[in-house]
Amino acid sequence: MGLTEHEHADWGARATEALAGAGYRRGGARAALIALLDEQRCALSATELEQALRTRGGRGVARASIYRILDELEALRMVTRVEVGQGLARFEAAREEGHHHHMVCDACGQVIPFEDPELERAIRRLAQRVTFAVAEHDVVLHGACADCRQAEAARDEPRRPRTAPAPTAAT
Amino acid sequence: MGLTEHEHADWGARATEALAGAGYRRGGARAALIALLDEQRCALSATELEQALRTRGGRGVARASIYRILDELEALRMVTRVEVGQGLARFEAAREEGHHHHMVCDACGQVIPFEDPELERAIRRLAQRVTFAVAEHDVVLHGACADCRQAEAARDEPRRPRTAPAPTAAT
DNA sequence: TTACTTGCAAAGTATTTGCACCGCC
DNA sequence: GGCGGTGCAAATACTTTGCAAGTAA
């Protein structure tokens, strides 16, 4: 659901290659982190990456190393840093094929990816019009996910007796 | 250049009113912070706000108070929190009339505001299409500002003798 | 006078840095 | 075997929280 086996292998290989090309040696921590990032379908925070690495049996990687490696990969443009306003940074593999943005539920904190060609087009056009040299772009939508939206509705409704159809003021 | 006197007074008044309406008393720190935010034309970080308040004679406001007041104003939707990926949060008055987004120069850190109707339209259309309830949205463009772009070019060029027009390899 | 507001200082959390040891080449 | 890679722990930076004193209503 989302990425194919091929795309997975592809990014991991390209990332490894990019590191080698930049003169980095190949270390266990790097390999483990790249493998993990390759499996993800959306951005994870440094802490989540650390826990995932510790859990998944393979090998634990120190937080400092995670940050260092993410920096290297970001500099090589193989990883994208995503800030969604929760006071922490999230990271994800920079795949050409799966370019997307994020919706953040301010109630439960969930981060949901989405794609939108029209949005991309608008940004591309904008980039051509300004003197600023646009290299990357991020779009973050804040609000309530379907679940939390329902929860909110359920929390607001109760005060209305189920008999009266609630004269919803269309403010 | 940007906002008119009227719009300034307008936001400050609305913010003050919003606080009062939410049951908050009127305190000196709140008034000072609102006045400062009202003068700004783009987002400032908590630290910048603190320094500005200390400098501009009027009255200093403790950092903790700044964060607290910004939280209140954000909850009332009178202030927008902007995260541009520099490890700190920026805040600005939420004006209906001056809705804009930000370009961040990754070289010098400068944050530049811009507006784009087409982009807004794309986001509005997108919001209608998804189950997620979109309340706010942020667009951040990363890259190099005009100045830094030139600086980069100047730094890369020197190896080319000024006589030869540099046969820019189109990779 | 009562309760909210503010400042100061301490606590937290995310990220970075220094340094010694380990492993790739 | 040397040079980078990695882990651990300490240091930073930003933000939040606790509490006592100030102040609006």
PDB file of all heavy atoms in Angstrom, chain B residues 3-37:
ATOM      1  N   LEU B   3       1.454  47.443   5.282  1.00  0.00           N
ATOM      2  CA  LEU B   3       0.192  47.594   5.998  1.00  0.00           C
ATOM      3  C   LEU B   3      -0.135  49.046   6.295  1.00  0.00           C
ATOM      4  O   LEU B   3       0.744  49.849   6.604  1.00  0.00           O
ATOM      5  CB  LEU B   3       0.291  46.824   7.313  1.00  0.00           C
ATOM      6  CG  LEU B   3       0.571  45.335   7.096  1.00  0.00           C
ATOM      7  CD1 LEU B   3       1.068  44.713   8.372  1.00  0.00           C
ATOM      8  CD2 LEU B   3      -0.686  44.642   6.630  1.00  0.00           C
ATOM      9  N   THR B   4      -1.371  49.386   6.231  1.00  0.00           N
ATOM     10  CA  THR B   4      -1.781  50.768   6.502  1.00  0.00           C
ATOM     11  C   THR B   4      -2.000  50.975   7.992  1.00  0.00           C
ATOM     12  O   THR B   4      -2.151  50.021   8.754  1.00  0.00           O
ATOM     13  CB  THR B   4      -3.113  51.090   5.800  1.00  0.00           C
ATOM     14  OG1 THR B   4      -4.143  50.320   6.435  1.00  0.00           O
ATOM     15  CG2 THR B   4      -3.060  50.732   4.339  1.00  0.00           C
ATOM     16  N   GLU B   5      -2.052  52.226   8.398  1.00  0.00           N
ATOM     17  CA  GLU B   5      -2.302  52.555   9.795  1.00  0.00           C
ATOM     18  C   GLU B   5      -3.596  51.907  10.257  1.00  0.00           C
ATOM     19  O   GLU B   5      -3.700  51.368  11.334  1.00  0.00           O
ATOM     20  CB  GLU B   5      -2.405  54.087   9.957  1.00  0.00           C
ATOM     21  CG  GLU B   5      -1.065  54.789   9.941  1.00  0.00           C
ATOM     22  CD  GLU B   5      -0.155  54.275  11.043  1.00  0.00           C
ATOM     23  OE1 GLU B   5      -0.628  54.094  12.169  1.00  0.00           O
ATOM     24  OE2 GLU B   5       1.034  54.029  10.768  1.00  0.00           O
ATOM     25  N   HIS B   6      -4.581  51.979   9.378  1.00  0.00           N
ATOM     26  CA  HIS B   6      -5.882  51.455   9.753  1.00  0.00           C
ATOM     27  C   HIS B   6      -5.827  49.970  10.087  1.00  0.00           C
ATOM     28  O   HIS B   6      -6.314  49.514  11.121  1.00  0.00           O
ATOM     29  CB  HIS B   6      -6.890  51.678   8.633  1.00  0.00           C
ATOM     30  CG  HIS B   6      -8.202  51.030   8.920  1.00  0.00           C
ATOM     31  ND1 HIS B   6      -8.995  51.422   9.986  1.00  0.00           N
ATOM     32  CD2 HIS B   6      -8.840  49.994   8.344  1.00  0.00           C
ATOM     33  CE1 HIS B   6     -10.062  50.659  10.031  1.00  0.00           C
ATOM     34  NE2 HIS B   6     -10.003  49.781   9.048  1.00  0.00           N
ATOM     35  N   GLU B   7      -5.194  49.232   9.215  1.00  0.00           N
ATOM     36  CA  GLU B   7      -5.109  47.791   9.450  1.00  0.00           C
ATOM     37  C   GLU B   7      -4.369  47.491  10.742  1.00  0.00           C
ATOM     38  O   GLU B   7      -4.720  46.588  11.473  1.00  0.00           O
ATOM     39  CB  GLU B   7      -4.419  47.116   8.263  1.00  0.00           C
ATOM     40  CG  GLU B   7      -5.321  47.056   7.033  1.00  0.00           C
ATOM     41  CD  GLU B   7      -4.544  46.670   5.790  1.00  0.00           C
ATOM     42  OE1 GLU B   7      -3.318  46.875   5.769  1.00  0.00           O
ATOM     43  OE2 GLU B   7      -5.165  46.177   4.858  1.00  0.00           O
ATOM     44  N   HIS B   8      -3.334  48.293  11.027  1.00  0.00           N
ATOM     45  CA  HIS B   8      -2.600  48.088  12.267  1.00  0.00           C
ATOM     46  C   HIS B   8      -3.545  48.200  13.454  1.00  0.00           C
ATOM     47  O   HIS B   8      -3.684  47.300  14.249  1.00  0.00           O
ATOM     48  CB  HIS B   8      -1.509  49.150  12.409  1.00  0.00           C
ATOM     49  CG  HIS B   8      -0.282  48.803  11.637  1.00  0.00           C
ATOM     50  ND1 HIS B   8       0.731  49.688  11.421  1.00  0.00           N
ATOM     51  CD2 HIS B   8       0.084  47.662  11.041  1.00  0.00           C
ATOM     52  CE1 HIS B   8       1.665  49.105  10.713  1.00  0.00           C
ATOM     53  NE2 HIS B   8       1.291  47.875  10.469  1.00  0.00           N
ATOM     54  N   ALA B   9      -4.167  49.358  13.566  1.00  0.00           N
ATOM     55  CA  ALA B   9      -5.052  49.615  14.693  1.00  0.00           C
ATOM     56  C   ALA B   9      -6.102  48.514  14.765  1.00  0.00           C
ATOM     57  O   ALA B   9      -6.441  48.023  15.840  1.00  0.00           O
ATOM     58  CB  ALA B   9      -5.705  50.975  14.520  1.00  0.00           C
ATOM     59  N   ASP B  10      -6.557  48.097  13.642  1.00  0.00           N
ATOM     60  CA  ASP B  10      -7.589  47.110  13.559  1.00  0.00           C
ATOM     61  C   ASP B  10      -7.206  45.793  14.224  1.00  0.00           C
ATOM     62  O   ASP B  10      -7.906  45.287  15.073  1.00  0.00           O
ATOM     63  CB  ASP B  10      -7.908  46.861  12.088  1.00  0.00           C
ATOM     64  CG  ASP B  10      -9.233  46.167  11.935  1.00  0.00           C
ATOM     65  OD1 ASP B  10     -10.176  46.530  12.672  1.00  0.00           O
ATOM     66  OD2 ASP B  10      -9.302  45.264  11.118  1.00  0.00           O
ATOM     67  N   TRP B  11      -6.040  45.261  13.877  1.00  0.00           N
ATOM     68  CA  TRP B  11      -5.661  43.979  14.448  1.00  0.00           C
ATOM     69  C   TRP B  11      -5.456  44.088  15.956  1.00  0.00           C
ATOM     70  O   TRP B  11      -5.935  43.259  16.717  1.00  0.00           O
ATOM     71  CB  TRP B  11      -4.394  43.431  13.786  1.00  0.00           C
ATOM     72  CG  TRP B  11      -4.025  42.114  14.375  1.00  0.00           C
ATOM     73  CD1 TRP B  11      -4.574  40.912  14.054  1.00  0.00           C
ATOM     74  CD2 TRP B  11      -3.109  41.873  15.450  1.00  0.00           C
ATOM     75  NE1 TRP B  11      -4.046  39.930  14.851  1.00  0.00           N
ATOM     76  CE2 TRP B  11      -3.144  40.489  15.720  1.00  0.00           C
ATOM     77  CE3 TRP B  11      -2.267  42.699  16.202  1.00  0.00           C
ATOM     78  CZ2 TRP B  11      -2.367  39.913  16.706  1.00  0.00           C
ATOM     79  CZ3 TRP B  11      -1.484  42.125  17.195  1.00  0.00           C
ATOM     80  CH2 TRP B  11      -1.534  40.741  17.436  1.00  0.00           C
ATOM     81  N   GLY B  12      -4.758  45.124  16.372  1.00  0.00           N
ATOM     82  CA  GLY B  12      -4.498  45.294  17.801  1.00  0.00           C
ATOM     83  C   GLY B  12      -5.804  45.336  18.574  1.00  0.00           C
ATOM     84  O   GLY B  12      -5.944  44.704  19.635  1.00  0.00           O
ATOM     85  N   ALA B  13      -6.756  46.080  18.041  1.00  0.00           N
ATOM     86  CA  ALA B  13      -8.043  46.208  18.710  1.00  0.00           C
ATOM     87  C   ALA B  13      -8.756  44.858  18.749  1.00  0.00           C
ATOM     88  O   ALA B  13      -9.263  44.442  19.795  1.00  0.00           O
ATOM     89  CB  ALA B  13      -8.910  47.230  17.967  1.00  0.00           C
ATOM     90  N   ARG B  14      -8.735  44.169  17.632  1.00  0.00           N
ATOM     91  CA  ARG B  14      -9.405  42.861  17.594  1.00  0.00           C
ATOM     92  C   ARG B  14      -8.759  41.879  18.548  1.00  0.00           C
ATOM     93  O   ARG B  14      -9.436  41.095  19.215  1.00  0.00           O
ATOM     94  CB  ARG B  14      -9.378  42.311  16.168  1.00  0.00           C
ATOM     95  CG  ARG B  14     -10.430  42.965  15.264  1.00  0.00           C
ATOM     96  CD  ARG B  14     -10.634  42.159  13.995  1.00  0.00           C
ATOM     97  NE  ARG B  14      -9.428  42.094  13.193  1.00  0.00           N
ATOM     98  CZ  ARG B  14      -8.895  40.989  12.712  1.00  0.00           C
ATOM     99  NH1 ARG B  14      -9.483  39.823  12.943  1.00  0.00           N
ATOM    100  NH2 ARG B  14      -7.798  41.014  12.010  1.00  0.00           N
ATOM    101  N   ALA B  15      -7.441  41.911  18.621  1.00  0.00           N
ATOM    102  CA  ALA B  15      -6.734  40.996  19.516  1.00  0.00           C
ATOM    103  C   ALA B  15      -7.086  41.295  20.974  1.00  0.00           C
ATOM    104  O   ALA B  15      -7.388  40.383  21.752  1.00  0.00           O
ATOM    105  CB  ALA B  15      -5.226  41.124  19.294  1.00  0.00           C
ATOM    106  N   THR B  16      -7.058  42.557  21.314  1.00  0.00           N
ATOM    107  CA  THR B  16      -7.383  42.955  22.685  1.00  0.00           C
ATOM    108  C   THR B  16      -8.805  42.528  23.027  1.00  0.00           C
ATOM    109  O   THR B  16      -9.071  41.981  24.103  1.00  0.00           O
ATOM    110  CB  THR B  16      -7.271  44.490  22.825  1.00  0.00           C
ATOM    111  OG1 THR B  16      -5.963  44.893  22.403  1.00  0.00           O
ATOM    112  CG2 THR B  16      -7.498  44.920  24.263  1.00  0.00           C
ATOM    113  N   GLU B  17      -9.675  42.766  22.081  1.00  0.00           N
ATOM    114  CA  GLU B  17     -11.077  42.415  22.246  1.00  0.00           C
ATOM    115  C   GLU B  17     -11.241  40.894  22.413  1.00  0.00           C
ATOM    116  O   GLU B  17     -11.980  40.422  23.283  1.00  0.00           O
ATOM    117  CB  GLU B  17     -11.819  42.878  20.988  1.00  0.00           C
ATOM    118  CG  GLU B  17     -13.325  42.886  21.068  1.00  0.00           C
ATOM    119  CD  GLU B  17     -13.905  43.295  19.716  1.00  0.00           C
ATOM    120  OE1 GLU B  17     -13.249  44.107  19.024  1.00  0.00           O
ATOM    121  OE2 GLU B  17     -14.969  42.775  19.342  1.00  0.00           O
ATOM    122  N   ALA B  18     -10.524  40.170  21.601  1.00  0.00           N
ATOM    123  CA  ALA B  18     -10.604  38.716  21.667  1.00  0.00           C
ATOM    124  C   ALA B  18     -10.174  38.206  23.040  1.00  0.00           C
ATOM    125  O   ALA B  18     -10.815  37.327  23.623  1.00  0.00           O
ATOM    126  CB  ALA B  18      -9.728  38.097  20.580  1.00  0.00           C
ATOM    127  N   LEU B  19      -9.109  38.780  23.572  1.00  0.00           N
ATOM    128  CA  LEU B  19      -8.634  38.373  24.888  1.00  0.00           C
ATOM    129  C   LEU B  19      -9.704  38.676  25.945  1.00  0.00           C
ATOM    130  O   LEU B  19     -10.008  37.851  26.802  1.00  0.00           O
ATOM    131  CB  LEU B  19      -7.339  39.112  25.245  1.00  0.00           C
ATOM    132  CG  LEU B  19      -6.057  38.633  24.571  1.00  0.00           C
ATOM    133  CD1 LEU B  19      -4.894  39.535  24.932  1.00  0.00           C
ATOM    134  CD2 LEU B  19      -5.750  37.197  24.996  1.00  0.00           C
ATOM    135  N   ALA B  20     -10.262  39.878  25.854  1.00  0.00           N
ATOM    136  CA  ALA B  20     -11.284  40.275  26.815  1.00  0.00           C
ATOM    137  C   ALA B  20     -12.474  39.325  26.710  1.00  0.00           C
ATOM    138  O   ALA B  20     -12.984  38.825  27.725  1.00  0.00           O
ATOM    139  CB  ALA B  20     -11.726  41.710  26.533  1.00  0.00           C
ATOM    140  N   GLY B  21     -12.880  39.064  25.476  1.00  0.00           N
ATOM    141  CA  GLY B  21     -14.022  38.183  25.252  1.00  0.00           C
ATOM    142  C   GLY B  21     -13.791  36.788  25.816  1.00  0.00           C
ATOM    143  O   GLY B  21     -14.722  36.105  26.229  1.00  0.00           O
ATOM    144  N   ALA B  22     -12.520  36.366  25.834  1.00  0.00           N
ATOM    145  CA  ALA B  22     -12.208  35.028  26.324  1.00  0.00           C
ATOM    146  C   ALA B  22     -12.052  35.040  27.836  1.00  0.00           C
ATOM    147  O   ALA B  22     -11.663  34.048  28.450  1.00  0.00           O
ATOM    148  CB  ALA B  22     -10.938  34.523  25.654  1.00  0.00           C
ATOM    149  N   GLY B  23     -12.318  36.190  28.457  1.00  0.00           N
ATOM    150  CA  GLY B  23     -12.271  36.259  29.915  1.00  0.00           C
ATOM    151  C   GLY B  23     -10.929  36.633  30.509  1.00  0.00           C
ATOM    152  O   GLY B  23     -10.726  36.558  31.718  1.00  0.00           O
ATOM    153  N   TYR B  24     -10.001  37.081  29.666  1.00  0.00           N
ATOM    154  CA  TYR B  24      -8.690  37.462  30.195  1.00  0.00           C
ATOM    155  C   TYR B  24      -8.742  38.909  30.678  1.00  0.00           C
ATOM    156  O   TYR B  24      -9.422  39.744  30.075  1.00  0.00           O
ATOM    157  CB  TYR B  24      -7.620  37.338  29.110  1.00  0.00           C
ATOM    158  CG  TYR B  24      -7.320  35.908  28.710  1.00  0.00           C
ATOM    159  CD1 TYR B  24      -7.726  35.411  27.477  1.00  0.00           C
ATOM    160  CD2 TYR B  24      -6.630  35.068  29.572  1.00  0.00           C
ATOM    161  CE1 TYR B  24      -7.447  34.105  27.092  1.00  0.00           C
ATOM    162  CE2 TYR B  24      -6.346  33.759  29.203  1.00  0.00           C
ATOM    163  CZ  TYR B  24      -6.755  33.287  27.971  1.00  0.00           C
ATOM    164  OH  TYR B  24      -6.479  31.994  27.609  1.00  0.00           O
ATOM    165  N   ARG B  25      -7.968  39.199  31.731  1.00  0.00           N
ATOM    166  CA  ARG B  25      -7.901  40.578  32.195  1.00  0.00           C
ATOM    167  C   ARG B  25      -6.900  41.307  31.327  1.00  0.00           C
ATOM    168  O   ARG B  25      -6.137  40.696  30.597  1.00  0.00           O
ATOM    169  CB  ARG B  25      -7.416  40.611  33.648  1.00  0.00           C
ATOM    170  CG  ARG B  25      -8.476  40.168  34.599  1.00  0.00           C
ATOM    171  CD  ARG B  25      -8.004  40.325  36.020  1.00  0.00           C
ATOM    172  NE  ARG B  25      -8.981  39.767  36.936  1.00  0.00           N
ATOM    173  CZ  ARG B  25      -8.740  39.587  38.228  1.00  0.00           C
ATOM    174  NH1 ARG B  25      -7.560  39.910  38.721  1.00  0.00           N
ATOM    175  NH2 ARG B  25      -9.665  39.090  39.012  1.00  0.00           N
ATOM    176  N   ARG B  26      -6.854  42.614  31.451  1.00  0.00           N
ATOM    177  CA  ARG B  26      -5.921  43.336  30.599  1.00  0.00           C
ATOM    178  C   ARG B  26      -4.652  43.657  31.379  1.00  0.00           C
ATOM    179  O   ARG B  26      -4.665  44.343  32.400  1.00  0.00           O
ATOM    180  CB  ARG B  26      -6.598  44.568  30.027  1.00  0.00           C
ATOM    181  CG  ARG B  26      -6.323  45.855  30.710  1.00  0.00           C
ATOM    182  CD  ARG B  26      -7.020  47.052  30.073  1.00  0.00           C
ATOM    183  NE  ARG B  26      -7.706  46.799  28.833  1.00  0.00           N
ATOM    184  CZ  ARG B  26      -7.938  47.771  27.954  1.00  0.00           C
ATOM    185  NH1 ARG B  26      -7.544  48.995  28.178  1.00  0.00           N
ATOM    186  NH2 ARG B  26      -8.588  47.497  26.836  1.00  0.00           N
ATOM    187  N   GLY B  27      -3.561  43.143  30.938  1.00  0.00           N
ATOM    188  CA  GLY B  27      -2.294  43.375  31.642  1.00  0.00           C
ATOM    189  C   GLY B  27      -1.293  44.100  30.758  1.00  0.00           C
ATOM    190  O   GLY B  27      -1.434  44.106  29.535  1.00  0.00           O
ATOM    191  N   GLY B  28      -0.291  44.669  31.394  1.00  0.00           N
ATOM    192  CA  GLY B  28       0.695  45.442  30.661  1.00  0.00           C
ATOM    193  C   GLY B  28       1.484  44.634  29.642  1.00  0.00           C
ATOM    194  O   GLY B  28       1.739  45.084  28.530  1.00  0.00           O
ATOM    195  N   ALA B  29       1.875  43.425  30.030  1.00  0.00           N
ATOM    196  CA  ALA B  29       2.662  42.590  29.128  1.00  0.00           C
ATOM    197  C   ALA B  29       1.864  42.282  27.867  1.00  0.00           C
ATOM    198  O   ALA B  29       2.378  42.348  26.755  1.00  0.00           O
ATOM    199  CB  ALA B  29       3.058  41.307  29.831  1.00  0.00           C
ATOM    200  N   ARG B  30       0.607  41.957  28.036  1.00  0.00           N
ATOM    201  CA  ARG B  30      -0.236  41.646  26.870  1.00  0.00           C
ATOM    202  C   ARG B  30      -0.328  42.821  25.931  1.00  0.00           C
ATOM    203  O   ARG B  30      -0.154  42.694  24.723  1.00  0.00           O
ATOM    204  CB  ARG B  30      -1.634  41.252  27.335  1.00  0.00           C
ATOM    205  CG  ARG B  30      -1.654  39.879  27.941  1.00  0.00           C
ATOM    206  CD  ARG B  30      -3.081  39.344  28.088  1.00  0.00           C
ATOM    207  NE  ARG B  30      -3.012  38.038  28.719  1.00  0.00           N
ATOM    208  CZ  ARG B  30      -3.547  37.745  29.891  1.00  0.00           C
ATOM    209  NH1 ARG B  30      -4.222  38.652  30.554  1.00  0.00           N
ATOM    210  NH2 ARG B  30      -3.406  36.547  30.397  1.00  0.00           N
ATOM    211  N   ALA B  31      -0.605  44.000  26.509  1.00  0.00           N
ATOM    212  CA  ALA B  31      -0.745  45.200  25.679  1.00  0.00           C
ATOM    213  C   ALA B  31       0.549  45.464  24.908  1.00  0.00           C
ATOM    214  O   ALA B  31       0.526  45.741  23.706  1.00  0.00           O
ATOM    215  CB  ALA B  31      -1.095  46.390  26.563  1.00  0.00           C
ATOM    216  N   ALA B  32       1.679  45.364  25.601  1.00  0.00           N
ATOM    217  CA  ALA B  32       2.964  45.645  24.956  1.00  0.00           C
ATOM    218  C   ALA B  32       3.237  44.665  23.821  1.00  0.00           C
ATOM    219  O   ALA B  32       3.661  45.059  22.731  1.00  0.00           O
ATOM    220  CB  ALA B  32       4.083  45.574  25.989  1.00  0.00           C
ATOM    221  N   LEU B  33       2.973  43.401  24.065  1.00  0.00           N
ATOM    222  CA  LEU B  33       3.239  42.397  23.040  1.00  0.00           C
ATOM    223  C   LEU B  33       2.321  42.588  21.840  1.00  0.00           C
ATOM    224  O   LEU B  33       2.751  42.516  20.684  1.00  0.00           O
ATOM    225  CB  LEU B  33       3.065  40.988  23.625  1.00  0.00           C
ATOM    226  CG  LEU B  33       3.378  39.835  22.670  1.00  0.00           C
ATOM    227  CD1 LEU B  33       4.760  40.005  22.055  1.00  0.00           C
ATOM    228  CD2 LEU B  33       3.306  38.512  23.412  1.00  0.00           C
ATOM    229  N   ILE B  34       1.073  42.863  22.093  1.00  0.00           N
ATOM    230  CA  ILE B  34       0.133  43.079  20.994  1.00  0.00           C
ATOM    231  C   ILE B  34       0.550  44.285  20.168  1.00  0.00           C
ATOM    232  O   ILE B  34       0.550  44.246  18.944  1.00  0.00           O
ATOM    233  CB  ILE B  34      -1.301  43.262  21.540  1.00  0.00           C
ATOM    234  CG1 ILE B  34      -1.824  41.922  22.045  1.00  0.00           C
ATOM    235  CG2 ILE B  34      -2.230  43.818  20.463  1.00  0.00           C
ATOM    236  CD1 ILE B  34      -3.201  41.979  22.657  1.00  0.00           C
ATOM    237  N   ALA B  35       0.954  45.355  20.843  1.00  0.00           N
ATOM    238  CA  ALA B  35       1.376  46.559  20.127  1.00  0.00           C
ATOM    239  C   ALA B  35       2.565  46.241  19.229  1.00  0.00           C
ATOM    240  O   ALA B  35       2.629  46.664  18.073  1.00  0.00           O
ATOM    241  CB  ALA B  35       1.736  47.650  21.123  1.00  0.00           C
ATOM    242  N   LEU B  36       3.495  45.469  19.769  1.00  0.00           N
ATOM    243  CA  LEU B  36       4.676  45.121  18.979  1.00  0.00           C
ATOM    244  C   LEU B  36       4.307  44.274  17.770  1.00  0.00           C
ATOM    245  O   LEU B  36       4.712  44.554  16.645  1.00  0.00           O
ATOM    246  CB  LEU B  36       5.675  44.356  19.858  1.00  0.00           C
ATOM    247  CG  LEU B  36       6.913  43.856  19.123  1.00  0.00           C
ATOM    248  CD1 LEU B  36       7.702  45.014  18.527  1.00  0.00           C
ATOM    249  CD2 LEU B  36       7.799  43.048  20.051  1.00  0.00           C
ATOM    250  N   LEU B  37       3.530  43.248  17.990  1.00  0.00           N
ATOM    251  CA  LEU B  37       3.130  42.363  16.896  1.00  0.00           C
ATOM    252  C   LEU B  37       2.392  43.160  15.827  1.00  0.00           C
ATOM    253  O   LEU B  37       2.524  42.907  14.633  1.00  0.00           O
ATOM    254  CB  LEU B  37       2.215  41.255  17.426  1.00  0.00           C
ATOM    255  CG  LEU B  37       2.910  40.151  18.213  1.00  0.00           C
ATOM    256  CD1 LEU B  37       1.873  39.253  18.870  1.00  0.00           C
ATOM    257  CD2 LEU B  37       3.807  39.331  17.295  1.00  0.00           C
TER     258      LEU B  37
END
